[in-house]
Amino acid sequence: MPPRLNRRQQRELEELEALNSAKPTSSLDEISEDEDIPGPSQRRGGGTFSNFLAPEDSEEDEAEQEEEKAPKSRKSKKKKKKPTEGAAVDAPTSKEPAKTTRTSTPVPPVRNEKKALKKARAKEKKAANDELDQVLAELSIQYPASQKISQATTGKQSLADLLSVSLQHLDGEAEMRRFFGSRVVTANRTEQSSSRKKVPAVKSHLTRPQPTWWAAKGREGLSLRPLSDEETEAKLKRHGWTPMQEKWWTVEYSKKYKSMTKAFMDTVLSGDPQGFWDLLGTLPWHADTLLQISEVYRHREEHAQAVDFIDRALFTYERSFIGSFNFTTGLNRLDFDHVENRPFFLALHRQVTDLQRRGCVRTAFEFSRLMYSIDPWNDPHGALLHLDFLAIKAGMQQWLVDVYDIFAERRASGSVGQDTRLNPSVLPGWAYARALALRVSEDATKEKDHTKSTNALKEALHDFPSVVPLLADKLDVSLPANIRAHRDFKIETDAYSLSPPVGTLHLLSHLYVQRSLPLWKEHATWFRSTTTEAFSTLPSSLPVTERRKSFFFQFENQNLRYSVYRHIMVLETSYRRLFSFIPRQVLEAKSLACDPLPPPTSINEYDAQFFHSVDDLYSPRVRSRRQRANDERRLAQFIPDAAFRQQLQAFFDAHPHFAERFPGGILQFAQMAGQLPPDVLEDLMLVEAVNGAPGAMPGGLDNMQDDNDDNLVEVDFIPAPVQAAPAPAQQRQQAVAEADSEEEEEEEDDQEEEEYISASYFLLPRTRGPMPRVLRNILGRFWGRNAQAEESSSEDEAPLDNTGVD
């Protein structure tokens, strides 16, 4: 068998055969035309196997091979064009097959098809752009405010652009992956979720839904609606604002969600953390319950679990924002005066705090901007007090300067005297942060001229001198004696002797220095030199600048002061010592962790009026027949004895105050009773039995004045005679006797406690005599013993009469 030729040798052999043969066949023309066919098929191109192929099949195969190898064989085809044409002239009989082979070559049609595809795609893209432009034109006609805001001035961004949120920077895990790598971040989470059932992925901008979460079905009782024109006008009137191009929204609760919220408030007032888990079994996407459980985990320092439940609360509210409410426009607002919206603000604030704890400053900045954008005029949770630090820490110092300049121009225009909207340019932290941001930008561009940042710092020093001694002490900077001794640089430690605006100024000064100290450590020398230069000569009292006057004017508004107080109260663990700047009446006011410090302009809160005409979540009227049957079946599984279930139900129905502690009804009580220690459960039920009479005072004290004094045990206390002081020898003997009797007294303590508990029942009227036996049966059934065994457990006990007295 001859050796296989390579392609170059094959082409040379084909050329020689084409020139030497006087009468080339059509198959030779086909072979010479198609040079890229593999060697074996070329050697037997005119053999017997090719005779079995139909002409159409062979032409299609050749066309496919030429399409694949066309770029490689382009040059060789040009070389062989003349010999093939010459052979075709000498042998006219072979012309038609040769033509057929050439026309079947698809190289030119491929180029034409590619051009046609490109043209078609270009036309489709153009048509799509035209449709998009048409839609945008229609929207600009419907919403002219969006068109005005999108057309920002040259070189500057509008306020709406600065308040728009970047969705790609709302992922804290993505930021942590950039720092630590994907394997480190996902290792622990993968171990936790590997054994759990996978659920379908759900899209979310604010969180990253986990496989361990409950299935998300619908909006779970939350819906979003815009405020009507009358409601918007009433809100502007309450706050003293002028109308602006923005849209206000509010969340609404469904009837079931309100019932769940009522049960949640009952659980909060009962003080039972286990009750929150029972509520989640009924409605797993209740935001207030999720935030309360997160707070429980935070106090236990289980931060991973706390963050997980905060994410669930954010996800709950995000699903209700489907529609026109968008984070990226900077024009949508959420009314904080409605209590339904406040859990979302609280969840955002706690998310910002935890992101800072984890070091995700860029994500924390984005969540702070979101919290600020949905209510920038009151800033109910103090997002600006986070942004003055996070903007520089996250490299967004230009954003801070732009926002400052916009509000500074607004204040210079004189509109601040007519409008009470919060202006960041009058805050002490933002004044110092602007100077530091300019300095950082100058250092980043390696500018040697620092005139702009130095002038900005001098302005901040004159406007808010209360920051100077605090920052100097934290930076360990020594200031001249004339500055230290001046009365305007005195450090205030509380606000009891200060007016509310002045106390708020010192509170914000302490807060800024405590939070932004790490940013100033690299610029301590610049701070010292600028301060010394700015206060080289000091009058007896520094003049009050225009910016400080604007600050005092703004914080005469109680609503803005409450925003600062609320910010500190949410961060109580880190800034506990700043509570001395909060007025005492504010600290003593009724406030819950789920709704810290409701605003003075609030239109509703979780009270009797809010829950008016709302049924109890666990009442038979609300629960369906199927749910009641499930409860009875679960109770039967937990307590198989039917007689005991009836006895327990009778006790539960006879003591309504006791039943109020368990929103889940008798089933919740039975589950809790099985987990409590015997002595705790016994004390709980005994106290309820003592205080459970309708209209009775705790301990049955009202019965002490009844006519049934014969039923009470009378005890006469006879004073002991006064004895003389014993001699030293007698004292030693008495001490030895006391030491010997200590062990006996300790053994008798337990018996005395039991006798005291049982005696407390015997002080009650005899109409309540059978109660101890009932309680004894109930407790005995729970702990695996019965009444008969307990009565006959000791032969030394005296028999009991009908009233239970021995």
Side-chain angles (χ1 to χ4, degrees):
M1 183 175 179
R4 183 176 178 179
L5 302 177
N6 56 28
R7 291 185 178 181
R8 183 176 60 81
Q9 293 173 344
Q10 291 174 6
R11 284 195 294 269
E12 292 176 355
L13 182 61
E14 290 169 1
E15 290 176 1
L16 291 175
E17 290 177 356
L19 293 174
N20 295 332
S21 62
K23 296 181 180 180
T25 61
S26 61
S27 62
L28 273 176
D29 289 328
E30 292 177 4
I31 295 174
S32 63
E33 185 66 21
D34 191 6
E35 298 108 353
D36 287 329
I37 300 176
S41 61
Q42 284 183 350
R43 286 198 302 270
R44 58 178 185 266
T48 58
F49 183 77
S50 62
N51 295 332
F52 291 100
L53 295 175
E56 295 82 7
D57 295 337
S58 62
E59 288 174 4
E60 290 176 2
D61 294 339
E62 290 173 1
E64 292 176 359
Q65 294 173 0
E66 286 176 0
E67 183 177 354
E68 295 177 357
K69 305 297 182 180
K72 298 181 180 178
S73 60
R74 199 168 288 168
K75 294 183 180 180
S76 60
K77 285 182 179 180
K78 291 180 180 179
K79 293 181 181 179
K80 301 178 185 59
K81 205 168 186 180
K82 291 181 181 180
T84 308
E85 289 176 356
V89 171
D90 295 336
T93 58
S94 62
K95 186 181 294 186
E96 288 186 6
K99 284 183 180 179
T100 304
T101 309
R102 291 191 189 100
T103 55
S104 64
T105 304
V107 175
V110 168
R111 293 182 180 178
N112 294 335
E113 289 178 3
K114 288 183 178 179
K115 291 181 181 179
L117 287 174
K118 288 182 179 179
K119 290 181 180 180
R121 290 173 182 172
K123 289 181 180 179
E124 292 177 359
K125 187 175 182 180
K126 185 177 180 181
N129 292 335
D130 293 340
E131 292 178 1
L132 181 61
D133 293 337
Q134 184 179 0
V135 172
L136 291 176
E138 293 176 358
L139 290 176
S140 64
I141 295 173
Q142 289 181 340
Y143 304 100
S146 302
Q147 186 180 12
K148 290 181 181 179
I149 290 179
S150 62
Q151 297 171 353
T153 57
T154 305
K156 291 185 179 180
Q157 289 182 310
S158 65
L159 180 61
D161 295 331
L162 293 172
L163 294 183
S164 62
V165 178
S166 175
L167 298 179
Q168 63 179 351
H169 290 105
L170 289 174
D171 190 356
E173 288 191 11
E175 185 175 3
M176 294 185 69
R177 286 192 184 95
R178 289 195 292 269
F179 288 126
F180 306 107
S182 177
R183 294 182 179 179
V184 177
V185 175
T186 58
N188 187 27
R189 190 176 295 276
T190 304
E191 293 178 359
Q192 294 178 355
S193 61
S194 59
S195 60
R196 299 292 185 95
K197 181 180 179 181
K198 302 295 182 181
V199 297
V202 183
K203 185 178 180 181
S204 173
H205 294 302
L206 300 182
T207 62
R208 187 185 290 266
Q210 301 300 323
T212 57
W213 289 8
W214 302 285
K217 300 178 182 178
R219 302 185 185 182
E220 296 293 347
L222 296 180
S223 59
L224 191 71
R225 69 168 181 88
L227 294 184
S228 62
D229 295 340
E230 293 79 8
E231 290 175 325
T232 304
E233 184 178 356
K235 179 177 179 58
L236 296 178
K237 187 176 180 180
R238 282 197 309 271
H239 294 272
W241 295 344
T242 55
M244 292 187 67
Q245 294 177 352
E246 57 191 1
K247 195 167 186 179
W248 289 91
W249 303 76
T250 183
V251 174
E252 284 188 336
Y253 290 172
S254 66
K255 193 173 182 180
K256 179 181 178 182
Y257 200 94
K258 269 193 175 183
S259 300
M260 181 70 178
T261 307
K262 184 179 180 181
F264 163 77
M265 292 301 298
D266 294 339
T267 307
V268 170
L269 298 177
S270 69
D272 180 19
Q274 182 61 32
F276 299 125
W277 291 102
D278 298 333
L279 293 176
L280 290 183
T282 304
L283 186 62
W285 294 106
H286 187 256
D288 289 300
T289 305
L290 294 170
L291 290 175
Q292 198 72 20
I293 293 177
S294 170
E295 194 69 5
V296 172
Y297 278 117
R298 187 180 67 84
H299 282 287
R300 296 178 183 175
E301 297 185 355
E302 299 180 19
H303 297 289
Q305 293 293 333
V307 172
D308 182 71
F309 280 92
I310 292 175
D311 288 340
R312 299 187 193 202
L314 289 173
F315 181 64
T316 302
Y317 267 82
E318 185 184 6
R319 285 187 296 168
S320 68
F321 294 156
I322 301 173
S324 302
F325 191 89
N326 194 348
F327 301 139
T328 59
T329 60
L331 294 172
N332 293 313
R333 311 282 183 255
L334 206 60
D335 189 9
F336 191 75
D337 291 343
H338 287 77
V339 70
E340 297 92 340
N341 304 325
R342 293 175 207 159
F344 183 64
F345 284 88
L346 182 60
L348 287 176
H349 197 177
R350 289 181 179 170
Q351 182 80 326
V352 170
T353 304
D354 186 79
L355 287 169
Q356 293 184 60
R357 181 189 62 83
R358 289 186 283 169
C360 302
V361 291
R362 184 63 181 87
T363 310
F365 168 82
E366 210 61 47
F367 272 96
S368 298
R369 178 159 62 172
L370 172 60
M371 183 168 60
Y372 177 58
S373 67
I374 57 179
D375 192 355
W377 314 126
N378 273 327
D379 192 17
H381 274 266
L384 289 172
L385 308 181
H386 286 293
L387 289 170
D388 56 5
F389 161 73
L390 291 173
I392 301 176
K393 187 71 174 177
M396 299 294 292
Q397 55 269 8
Q398 187 59 44
W399 178 89
L400 185 144
V401 174
D402 292 341
V403 173
Y404 186 95
D405 292 342
I406 287 177
F407 281 95
E409 293 175 1
R410 180 172 176 267
R411 183 177 58 85
S413 65
S415 60
V416 68
Q418 304 173 359
D419 200 348
T420 58
R421 298 175 189 262
L422 180 60
N423 192 323
S425 65
V426 303
L427 297 178
W430 274 68
Y432 282 86
R434 173 176 174 264
L436 184 59
L438 293 173
R439 179 74 181 204
V440 171
S441 299
E442 292 169 355
D443 293 342
T445 56
K446 298 182 179 180
E447 294 183 13
K448 296 182 179 180
D449 185 13
H450 300 293
T451 305
K452 190 175 181 180
S453 60
T454 302
N455 292 336
L457 180 57
K458 288 181 179 179
E459 291 179 7
L461 294 172
H462 284 94
D463 292 333
F464 305 106
S466 57
V467 180
V468 175
L470 299 172
L471 189 56
D473 290 345
K474 293 292 184 179
L475 294 175
D476 198 13
V477 170
S478 59
L479 296 176
N482 61 334
I483 298 178
R484 282 290 187 181
H486 200 275
R487 63 178 185 178
D488 288 330
F489 297 96
K490 178 184 177 182
I491 298 177
E492 298 287 348
T493 57
D494 56 60
Y496 297 139
S497 61
L498 305 175
S499 64
V502 176
T504 306
L505 174 60
H506 286 277
L507 170 60
L508 293 178
S509 301
H510 280 272
L511 179 64
Y512 174 74
V513 171
Q514 185 172 346
R515 181 174 285 160
S516 300
L517 174 63
L519 303 176
W520 283 92
K521 287 185 177 180
E522 298 179 359
H523 307 280
T525 305
W526 173 57
F527 171 76
R528 181 185 182 282
S529 60
T530 306
T531 303
T532 305
E533 182 182 354
F535 300 111
S536 56
T537 57
L538 284 172
S540 59
S541 178
L542 292 177
V544 180
T545 62
E546 291 296 329
R547 182 174 282 112
R548 206 189 315 174
K549 290 180 181 178
S550 300
F551 175 87
F552 291 150
F553 171 80
Q554 287 243 303
F555 283 89
E556 287 287 348
N557 185 1
Q558 186 183 16
N559 221 10
L560 297 183
R561 295 200 306 272
Y562 270 42
S563 299
V564 178
Y565 301 154
R566 192 179 299 110
H567 180 89
I568 301 298
M569 293 172 71
V570 173
L571 306 175
E572 59 173 332
T573 55
S574 302
Y575 302 95
R576 188 70 184 178
R577 66 184 187 86
L578 297 181
F579 275 48
S580 58
F581 290 94
I582 301 177
R584 188 170 300 171
Q585 63 270 20
V586 175
L587 294 176
E588 295 176 354
K590 180 182 178 181
S591 181
L592 298 174
C594 58
D595 187 16
L597 199 62
T601 56
S602 174
I603 63 175
N604 61 352
E605 58 185 52
Y606 292 154
D607 53 7
Q609 183 179 359
F610 182 81
F611 296 115
H612 179 66
S613 71
V614 175
D615 295 329
D616 188 1
L617 184 67
Y618 297 101
S619 65
R621 291 179 298 169
V622 176
R623 299 178 68 79
S624 63
R625 183 184 304 173
R626 183 177 180 181
Q627 291 175 337
R628 294 195 301 269
N630 291 336
D631 291 345
E632 293 176 1
R633 185 170 60 254
R634 291 174 60 189
L635 183 62
Q637 293 176 355
F638 192 77
I639 305 176
D641 190 352
F644 178 52
R645 287 200 307 269
Q646 294 179 359
Q647 189 177 13
L648 186 62
Q649 184 69 51
F651 174 82
F652 202 77
D653 296 338
H655 298 81
H657 297 286
F658 184 77
E660 288 178 358
R661 302 183 185 182
F662 304 96
I666 190 172
L667 179 62
Q668 181 185 0
F669 167 67
Q671 292 174 344
M672 187 207 70
Q675 299 174 358
L676 289 178
D679 54 346
V680 176
L681 179 62
E682 186 174 356
D683 293 342
L684 181 66
M685 299 182 70
L686 291 179
V687 171
E688 182 59 33
V690 173
N691 303 334
M697 294 180 61
L701 297 179
D702 56 337
N703 296 316
M704 299 299 291
Q705 303 297 330
D706 292 344
D707 297 333
N708 298 328
D709 293 340
D710 297 336
N711 298 330
L712 302 179
V713 178
E714 297 181 0
V715 181
D716 295 331
F717 295 94
I718 303 174
V722 179
Q723 299 178 356
Q730 295 178 352
Q731 290 181 354
R732 287 194 298 269
Q733 294 178 358
Q734 184 178 357
V736 173
E738 290 178 355
D740 294 338
S741 62
E742 284 182 357
E743 297 180 358
E744 298 178 359
E745 292 178 356
E746 291 177 357
E747 294 177 357
E748 294 176 356
D749 285 341
D750 297 336
Q751 298 178 358
E752 291 177 357
E753 290 179 1
E754 295 179 358
E755 292 175 358
Y756 173 78
I757 293 173
S758 58
S760 63
Y761 281 101
F762 305 144
L763 292 174
L764 298 177
R766 292 183 180 179
T767 55
R768 303 184 204 174
M771 183 57 66
R773 184 179 297 276
V774 173
L775 292 182
R776 184 172 300 176
N777 290 339
I778 293 176
L779 296 175
R781 296 292 184 90
F782 266 117
W783 305 113
R785 61 183 185 271
N786 52 32
Q788 295 178 357
E790 190 168 342
E791 290 175 0
S792 61
S793 59
S794 177
E795 298 178 355
D796 298 334
E797 293 181 358
L800 302 178
D801 58 7
N802 295 332
T803 61
V805 181
D806 50 9

